[in-house]
Amino acid sequence: MDAQLKELEENIGKVPLIVKKWATEDPKLKEWITEMDKHVWSDGKLSSQTKKIIAVCVAAALRDRHAVRAQAAGASNLGVSFDEMEEALRVSFLLAGMPAYVYGRTAIDDLMKK
Amino acid sequence: MDAQLKELEENIGKVPLIVKKWATEDPKLKEWITEMDKHVWSDGKLSSQTKKIIAVCVAAALRDRHAVRAQAAGASNLGVSFDEMEEALRVSFLLAGMPAYVYGRTAIDDLMKK
Amino acid sequence: MDAQLKELEENIGKVPLIVKKWATEDPKLKEWITEMDKHVWSDGKLSSQTKKIIAVCVAAALRDRHAVRAQAAGASNLGVSFDEMEEALRVSFLLAGMPAYVYGRTAIDDLMKK
Amino acid sequence: MDAQLKELEENIGKVPLIVKKWATEDPKLKEWITEMDKHVWSDGKLSSQTKKIIAVCVAAALRDRHAVRAQAAGASNLGVSFDEMEEALRVSFLLAGMPAYVYGRTAIDDLMKK
Amino acid sequence: MDAQLKELEENIGKVPLIVKKWATEDPKLKEWITEMDKHVWSDGKLSSQTKKIIAVCVAAALRDRHAVRAQAAGASNLGVSFDEMEEALRVSFLLAGMPAYVYGRTAIDDLMKK
Amino acid sequence: MDAQLKELEENIGKVPLIVKKWATEDPKLKEWITEMDKHVWSDGKLSSQTKKIIAVCVAAALRDRHAVRAQAAGASNLGVSFDEMEEALRVSFLLAGMPAYVYGRTAIDDLMKK
């Protein structure tokens, strides 16, 4: 993994596999997306932890089983707790229905062995 | 507005119109939903401000023009700034596409006269 | 409106504008879709009224403002009451979130002047 | 399983696993949601069977593989037939596309060994 | 497989399993849908290859794992290359988020052994 | 409008308003996104016209009224015809339901005065 991807992984918790593929397939696309990703996920008005919690809730609301697992893993790597994610997912429940919560809850239960 | 709804409005920023309708149409349903809402939105592991930011991002990701405006208004009532919401919406951009960001950004631009 | 479309309108409550456009633009496509529509919406194991209620709930869950209004109008034309649709929309609330209910409720409130 | 959950299971066909988890993790949340669920799913203007059919169609339209299986199982427990669900899913086909039908059809085929 | 389905399979790359089921369960529905399918997927202003690429991108944007695999297989049968689908999926990335791209990319990687 | 945005507008048909806002608010984010956009939309294995048609169909499938109008306008600027978009939208109809077609059709009817 090159230095840029390594720094990104430290900052955002988890680099999507696809960014690694683009590193060889299309280095320019990988470059812009990596820079953009680093910029979006880094601490700013909101902490990177808070942004990862948002990502988990958005992915759950979209019923996206790939993304919800990846984002939950990334959040956990940055120190976000099970209880923080569980509480946040209740917002997805209100906004997107009980099954959206189930998508997220299943991901964090699996990830954190509850 | 009854006392329970008034307290809810203070806690969560904005009571959905529909909860007010249920207060007369179906008081029991209104009761459970109001209690549940108060419980979900109140400070816990995450602040109610953070939860409202999550709600804005989820509503934007779902391209839900009603919800994104209501949640942004509620967030603003609780003191969340334009810049915090704008930064958070970049997560919806990554997870749900540029147009999801546009749904959210349009709502906060309109709300906060940018 | 030709005889086939007229019969369809009587059966399903409301013919989508687009089917009328296809009648001149692409008569064969209009033919198959009209036959399929008539077949799907007509009484079978479930009444056409029940199917229209389902359609309202699905459109609300998808946050589809065009479809939710069209289906609610069609349901009303077939004699479905406000209260039946309102009760059904609570299923969309549980499965797709409070804002999904709001999409549907707004449509039936507007349609039926509540 | 406590008495409230048992009654709910009899009424709605199937209690989501998550409600059982909330029974120990957050009894108040479980309480409101259980009451609300019982209220929404019970017979009213529409039968509980009809509401479960709606739920299957909404879950299929949302391409939600968890929910569509759970709701189909719940519907079946309440006596809804394969043919009623299959016919209802054609509405999801028209409103949400052929693949939405496939989500629902796969669930009921698996459940009922077709 | 009857002659109509065989011709359809040659034209559109892959006939959905469900159309085959309808051939025995509900021949009229199968008839209209087969005719409509053949009409929609055949060469016109756009080639059938281009339409299959669109279908892959739409299915990916909807995070529909059934449809994305079926459409990618159909596209491949018609001679669409991995690189054409990969490039097209970047549109789903911009419009529906990185995870939408991942849904599509996973399908074509699996299908074409990348 | 700076030179980079001007070139982008010529290439992709229409620059989203938000990219123009980012040009002053957050020039680095604007830089990466502009480069990425230019790269994704430019001719490659597929023509930029084909990619814009895909974008219209994806936006319609997502029932995204902002994006469907913006992408249809961009497609038209690049010389894509009404009939090409209309034919492409039939794929959204099959994959995402009749109302998805209506979202797209409404946009192109409005844009091109049909």
Side-chain angles (χ1 to χ4, degrees):
Chain A
M1 192 160 50
D2 70 25
Q4 195 197 27
L5 287 180
K6 196 158 183 298
E7 185 193 345
L8 183 60
E9 191 136 302
E10 279 160 17
N11 282 345
I12 72 169
K14 193 172 170 181
V15 174
L17 179 60
I18 190 56
V19 176
K20 294 177 188 170
K21 289 188 180 174
W22 280 337
T24 52
E25 291 172 5
D26 190 339
K28 284 197 304 184
L29 184 57
K30 172 253 169 189
E31 182 77 17
W32 298 312
I33 286 176
T34 308
E35 290 294 346
M36 191 179 68
D37 254 45
K38 199 166 54 180
H39 188 70
V40 169
W41 293 115
S42 62
D43 294 330
K45 299 286 179 186
L46 305 174
S47 70
S48 58
Q49 282 79 4
T50 296
K51 294 185 198 182
K52 275 296 178 188
I53 293 171
I54 294 171
V56 171
C57 294
V58 165
L62 293 173
R63 279 118 164 112
D64 185 324
R65 57 198 287 275
H66 296 303
V68 79
R69 284 165 195 281
Q71 297 299 333
S76 178
N77 289 350
L78 293 177
V80 176
S81 71
F82 179 89
D83 288 349
E84 287 169 314
M85 285 192 258
E86 192 280 330
E87 191 176 311
L89 283 167
R90 296 172 181 199
V91 174
S92 297
F93 163 45
L94 290 183
L95 273 278
M98 172 77 85
Y101 176 89
V102 173
Y103 264 79
R105 179 67 192 257
T106 303
I108 62 173
D109 279 4
D110 285 358
L111 182 71
M112 294 175 166
K113 311 274 175 266
K114 282 255 170 168
Chain B
M1 192 157 51
D2 69 27
Q4 194 197 28
L5 286 180
K6 197 158 181 302
E7 185 194 345
L8 183 61
E9 191 136 303
E10 280 159 15
N11 283 345
I12 71 168
K14 194 171 169 183
V15 174
L17 180 58
I18 189 56
V19 176
K20 293 178 187 169
K21 288 189 180 173
W22 279 338
T24 52
E25 291 173 5
D26 190 339
K28 284 197 303 182
L29 184 57
K30 171 252 167 189
E31 183 78 17
W32 297 313
I33 286 176
T34 308
E35 290 295 344
M36 192 179 67
D37 254 45
K38 199 166 54 181
H39 189 68
V40 169
W41 294 115
S42 62
D43 295 330
K45 300 285 179 186
L46 304 173
S47 69
S48 58
Q49 282 79 4
T50 296
K51 294 185 197 182
K52 276 296 179 187
I53 293 171
I54 294 170
V56 171
C57 294
V58 165
L62 293 172
R63 279 117 165 113
D64 185 324
R65 57 198 288 276
H66 296 305
V68 79
R69 285 166 194 281
Q71 296 300 332
S76 177
N77 289 351
L78 292 177
V80 176
S81 71
F82 179 89
D83 288 348
E84 287 169 314
M85 285 192 259
E86 193 281 330
E87 191 176 310
L89 284 167
R90 296 171 181 198
V91 174
S92 298
F93 163 46
L94 290 184
L95 272 278
M98 172 77 86
Y101 177 89
V102 172
Y103 264 78
R105 179 67 191 256
T106 303
I108 62 174
D109 279 4
D110 285 0
L111 182 71
M112 293 176 164
K113 312 270 173 270
K114 282 256 168 166
Chain C
M1 191 158 51
D2 69 27
Q4 193 197 29
L5 287 180
K6 196 159 183 299
E7 184 194 345
L8 183 60
E9 189 136 304
E10 278 159 17
N11 283 345
I12 71 168
K14 193 171 171 184
V15 174
L17 180 58
I18 189 56
V19 177
K20 294 178 187 168
K21 288 189 180 174
W22 279 338
T24 52
E25 291 174 4
D26 189 339
K28 284 197 302 183
L29 184 57
K30 171 252 169 191
E31 183 78 16
W32 297 313
I33 286 176
T34 308
E35 290 295 344
M36 191 180 67
D37 253 45
K38 198 166 54 182
H39 188 69
V40 170
W41 293 115
S42 61
D43 293 331
K45 299 287 180 186
L46 304 173
S47 69
S48 58
Q49 283 77 5
T50 296
K51 294 186 198 181
K52 276 296 178 187
I53 293 172
I54 294 171
V56 171
C57 294
V58 165
L62 293 173
R63 280 120 164 111
D64 184 323
R65 58 199 287 276
H66 295 304
V68 79
R69 284 166 194 280
Q71 297 299 334
S76 178
N77 289 350
L78 293 176
V80 176
S81 72
F82 179 89
D83 288 349
E84 287 169 315
M85 285 193 259
E86 193 281 329
E87 191 177 309
L89 284 166
R90 295 171 182 199
V91 175
S92 297
F93 162 45
L94 289 184
L95 273 279
M98 172 77 85
Y101 176 90
V102 172
Y103 264 77
R105 180 66 192 258
T106 303
I108 62 174
D109 279 5
D110 285 0
L111 182 72
M112 294 175 164
K113 310 275 174 266
K114 283 257 169 166
Chain D
M1 191 158 52
D2 70 25
Q4 194 197 27
L5 286 180
K6 197 158 182 297
E7 185 193 346
L8 183 60
E9 191 137 302
E10 280 158 18
N11 283 345
I12 72 168
K14 194 172 170 182
V15 174
L17 180 59
I18 190 56
V19 176
K20 293 178 188 170
K21 288 189 181 172
W22 279 337
T24 51
E25 292 173 5
D26 190 340
K28 284 196 303 183
L29 185 56
K30 172 253 169 189
E31 183 78 17
W32 297 313
I33 286 176
T34 308
E35 291 294 345
M36 192 179 67
D37 254 45
K38 198 166 55 181
H39 189 70
V40 169
W41 294 115
S42 61
D43 294 329
K45 299 286 180 186
L46 305 173
S47 69
S48 58
Q49 282 79 5
T50 296
K51 294 185 197 181
K52 276 295 178 187
I53 293 172
I54 294 170
V56 170
C57 293
V58 165
L62 294 173
R63 279 123 164 109
D64 185 324
R65 56 198 288 274
H66 297 304
V68 79
R69 284 166 194 279
Q71 297 299 332
S76 178
N77 289 350
L78 293 176
V80 176
S81 72
F82 179 88
D83 288 349
E84 287 168 314
M85 286 193 259
E86 192 281 330
E87 191 177 311
L89 283 166
R90 296 172 181 199
V91 175
S92 298
F93 163 46
L94 290 183
L95 274 276
M98 172 78 85
Y101 177 88
V102 173
Y103 264 78
R105 179 67 191 257
T106 303
I108 62 173
D109 279 4
D110 286 358
L111 181 71
M112 294 175 165
K113 311 275 174 265
K114 282 255 170 169
Chain E
M1 191 158 52
D2 69 27
Q4 194 197 29
L5 286 179
K6 197 159 183 299
E7 185 194 346
L8 183 61
E9 190 136 302
E10 279 159 18
N11 283 344
I12 72 169
K14 193 172 171 183
V15 174
L17 180 60
I18 190 57
V19 176
K20 293 177 188 170
K21 289 189 180 174
W22 279 338
T24 52
E25 291 172 6
D26 190 340
K28 285 197 303 183
L29 184 56
K30 171 253 170 189
E31 183 77 18
W32 298 313
I33 286 176
T34 307
E35 290 294 346
M36 192 179 68
D37 254 45
K38 198 166 54 180
H39 188 70
V40 169
W41 293 115
S42 61
D43 294 330
K45 300 286 179 186
L46 305 173
S47 69
S48 59
Q49 282 78 4
T50 296
K51 294 186 199 181
K52 276 296 179 188
I53 293 172
I54 294 170
V56 171
C57 293
V58 165
L62 293 174
R63 279 120 165 110
D64 185 322
R65 58 198 286 275
H66 296 305
V68 79
R69 284 166 194 280
Q71 297 300 333
S76 177
N77 289 350
L78 293 176
V80 176
S81 71
F82 179 89
D83 288 349
E84 287 169 314
M85 285 193 259
E86 192 281 330
E87 190 176 311
L89 284 166
R90 296 172 181 199
V91 174
S92 298
F93 162 45
L94 289 183
L95 273 279
M98 173 76 86
Y101 176 89
V102 173
Y103 264 78
R105 179 67 192 257
T106 303
I108 62 173
D109 279 4
D110 285 359
L111 182 71
M112 295 175 164
K113 311 274 174 265
K114 283 256 170 169
Chain F
M1 192 159 50
D2 69 26
Q4 194 198 28
L5 286 180
K6 197 158 181 302
E7 185 194 346
L8 183 60
E9 190 135 303
E10 280 159 16
N11 283 345
I12 71 168
K14 194 172 170 183
V15 174
L17 180 59
I18 190 56
V19 177
K20 293 178 187 169
K21 288 189 180 173
W22 279 338
T24 51
E25 292 173 5
D26 190 340
K28 284 196 303 183
L29 184 57
K30 171 252 169 190
E31 183 77 17
W32 297 312
I33 286 176
T34 308
E35 290 294 345
M36 191 179 66
D37 253 45
K38 200 166 53 181
H39 188 70
V40 169
W41 294 114
S42 62
D43 294 330
K45 300 285 180 185
L46 305 173
S47 69
S48 59
Q49 282 78 5
T50 296
K51 294 186 198 181
K52 276 295 180 188
I53 293 172
I54 294 171
V56 171
C57 293
V58 165
L62 294 173
R63 280 118 165 113
D64 185 323
R65 57 198 288 275
H66 296 305
V68 79
R69 285 166 194 281
Q71 297 299 334
S76 178
N77 289 350
L78 293 177
V80 176
S81 72
F82 179 89
D83 288 348
E84 288 169 313
M85 285 193 259
E86 193 281 330
E87 190 176 311
L89 284 166
R90 295 171 182 199
V91 175
S92 298
F93 162 46
L94 289 184
L95 273 278
M98 172 76 85
Y101 176 89
V102 172
Y103 264 78
R105 179 68 192 256
T106 303
I108 62 174
D109 279 5
D110 285 359
L111 181 71
M112 294 176 163
K113 311 273 173 269
K114 283 257 169 167

